[in-house]
Amino acid sequence: MNKKNMLAPLAIGLSLTLMMSACGDNGSDGGNAGAKNGSAASETAVQLDPNAEPPQDPYGKYDPPVTVTTVHTNNEVATNLKKPDTLESNIYTRTWAEKLGINLKFNWTSPGAQGEEKMNLMIASGDLPDFFYVSPAQFERLASTGQLEDLTQALQDYGSTYMKKYLTGDYAGLLEGVTKNGKVYGIPNGQTYHDSGFMLWLRSDNVEMAGLALPKTVDDLDKILDAFKHNDYDNSGGEKYPIALADANIASNFWGIGDAFFNMFHAYPNIWVKNGKGELEDGMFGPEHRENTRKALLKLQEYYKKGYINPDFATFDDTKYNESIVNNQSGVVFGGLWDAWWPLNLNLDKHPDNKWLPVAIPSADGEPAKSSVTAATVLGISVARKGVEHPEALVKMENLYHDLNNNPKTMQFGKYNTDPKDNSGIFLAYPMPVYNPSFNYEAYQVVSGAFKSGKADGMPESDKLFYDQAKAYADKNDKAGFPSYLSYTDQGSLAVVDGYIKNKAFQMNEYTAMPTQEMIDNAPIVKKAYDVMFLNVVKGGDIGQYDDFLKQYDALYMSAVYPGVNKWFEAKNKESIQSWFESK
């Protein structure tokens, strides 16, 4: 993935880490019904009042200064900094010293490719820095072995009102994800359903040239695919394969093609749903959803036979996938929020007049389609080692990070987050990020409102940056503004998410605990069997291979995993996140 092209989405809370939610989501009970209704799910929840000022100064400066140690697992980001700044000396280290009296010292830094391994080795050794940023799985390992400091009192005493806003209410699931037996052991960095969602991306100019409307049903989509296959609207020559697909997607998406494709048929990859018996089942292969998945596989097989998919897709990597889009071979992408940032922006590098639009997931029948989503997802956690001298220092640093990067009243976005000239990610120098988990949805509301009213005065700095970029694309076809326009305006991906929210068109993940051992043990076997079956069936093989896969799934996965999942659900009083969402 081109790092520079991904900086803006990273800055606004995006994580592209693989979440094998079929083995259980790495998030927590997001915005959950349990937290609101006082069920078993919330008995250990820490109570925070987002409206109460903290009893201690949330930005109190240490005098004399204190030194705290940390690590950085992606030191290549130093290339985003303006000389002479380095990871060890930059605007963050200077500001922390000036504002908080905190001197940051790195025990080590590493390239991103080695970061996870080096972090795991450090955790295994027990030689921990004062503060550091870990994955949910690493957090579980540290918490279970008693290596983390209890931050409950520090958060209650020093947490700013802005920080507490995004740990309570709709966002309570993020705090619950770092709470063990009533104690908080980290500050979560995450995202919510506001900043999530799957959708289709289409070459809208070619749809218009075909005399067709944007699709609301799979039948509508079929007409577009047929037109894209048999017409060279771009005069670019070469064979057309309308659907962008590569074997690499099987690894990154877990089930072989974007979730939006299966969602068209009411199958839900990577999440657990409540079935008619009041139990949880996998949204792809559970007894009440497996026939929906069969229909999706048969439709994909049909698309392959009709030449809508490149016959060599099984040998394609991400580079070949991108080439199919860049070279105007493919004009339909089953994607998510950030495709305008990558790879669709690459298409405009070569064809600046091409037009793309995201659309809500079409339905294969009369029932409205829903996008798979997790209400709140913990992406990473900032933690403190057990026995650290100043645990409250971590809370103060995260308060200030929020204010400089996220809080619209105090942010200095161009100075601390993203360079407005080249989109370089200054924020990546800081090793313990904490985002507003609804940053992008809130930005969409501001930017799209300004587009409608024509008034852009008084906007937060980050929103003004997105607005200016989007306006430059709308008015002057400035391709640098293409990603912002296709994200934050009423033509963008977050407008699709807004429709999902208003129309209750999200299918929420009901299982929000960490993966069980049974999941960890059995998921790789099931995935390998699925990958083989998927490729065979899509390329024309007998659909009976799907039935053979289901037998293996039932024997290896369903029998081992479902009892534990439903025991967890019963302990939660079977309170449904979907019901909570639909009642909002």
Side-chain angles (χ1 to χ4, degrees), residues 374-482:
T374 295
T377 303
V378 177
L379 305 173
I381 307 104
S382 295
V383 297
R385 66 168 175 82
K386 181 74 172 178
V388 69
E389 185 176 358
H390 294 286
E392 77 285 346
L394 178 59
V395 179
K396 292 181 181 182
M397 289 195 293
E398 302 302 76
N399 287 338
L400 188 54
Y401 186 90
H402 262 313
D403 281 359
L404 298 174
N405 289 274
N406 304 323
N407 190 336
K409 296 179 180 178
T410 58
M411 69 166 56
Q412 299 179 51
F413 197 80
K415 185 176 180 181
Y416 286 92
N417 194 288
T418 302
D419 189 304
K421 294 181 180 178
D422 62 8
N423 276 347
S424 61
I426 305 164
F427 74 102
L428 294 167
Y430 181 65
M432 293 173 286
V434 54
Y435 304 124
N436 167 353
S438 296
F439 185 96
N440 300 293
Y441 185 64
E442 292 175 9
Y444 153 74
Q445 293 172 316
V446 172
V447 173
S448 64
F451 260 77
K452 292 171 185 174
S453 68
K455 299 177 181 178
D457 297 335
M459 299 172 73
E461 185 181 348
S462 58
D463 297 349
K464 185 63 164 60
L465 171 64
F466 301 144
Y467 175 84
D468 289 344
Q469 291 174 337
K471 199 77 168 64
Y473 176 75
D475 294 346
K476 299 180 290 187
N477 202 35
D478 180 353
K479 64 182 177 63
F482 168 82

Side-chain angles (χ1 to χ4, degrees), residues 177-220:
V178 297
T179 301
K180 304 288 183 184
N181 300 319
K183 296 180 179 180
V184 178
Y185 288 98
I187 297 176
N189 177 39
Q191 68 183 47
T192 67
Y193 65 93
H194 295 139
D195 277 15
S196 306
F198 296 102
M199 60 201 68
L200 267 67
W201 291 82
L202 300 162
R203 278 288 304 280
S204 57
D205 49 350
N206 287 350
V207 173
E208 185 176 347
M209 290 180 69
L212 298 170
L214 295 173
K216 297 184 181 300
T217 68
V218 171
D219 287 343
D220 295 338

Side-chain angles (χ1 to χ4, degrees), residues 6 23 36 99 123 132 160 249 379 494 502:
M6 285 307 300
C23 323
K36 292 179 176 293
K99 299 288 187 183
I123 291 171
F132 53 112
S160 68
N249 291 25
L379 305 173
L494 285 148
K502 291 176 178 176

Side-chain angles (χ1 to χ4, degrees), residues 5 71 95 117 133 138 181 212 271 273 334 340 354 382 411 423 429 435 446 477 492 495 511 524 527 542 574:
N5 288 327
V71 298
T95 300
E117 180 182 4
Y133 184 81
Q138 290 164 340
N181 300 319
L212 298 170
I271 70 170
V273 297
F334 292 93
N354 285 0
S382 295
M411 69 166 56
N423 276 347
Y435 304 124
V446 172
N477 202 35
Y511 182 75
K527 170 161 170 46
D542 191 329
K574 292 192 173 184

Side-chain angles (χ1 to χ4, degrees), residues 560-573:
V561 172
Y562 280 44
V565 169
N566 279 289
K567 183 178 180 181
W568 170 86
F569 194 45
E570 288 173 6
K572 193 173 168 278
N573 292 336

Side-chain angles (χ1 to χ4, degrees), residues 330-388:
S330 302
V332 177
V333 174
F334 292 93
L337 260 69
W338 305 117
D339 291 67
W341 298 88
W342 187 90
L344 301 185
N345 63 312
L346 305 178
N347 177 256
L348 263 68
D349 287 341
K350 193 171 182 179
H351 310 282
D353 294 326
N354 285 0
K355 304 298 179 186
W356 292 85
L357 278 179
V359 298
I361 296 167
S363 173
D365 52 33
E367 181 183 349
K370 295 180 179 180
S371 170
S372 313
V373 76
T374 295
T377 303
V378 177
L379 305 173
I381 307 104
S382 295
V383 297
R385 66 168 175 82
K386 181 74 172 178
V388 69

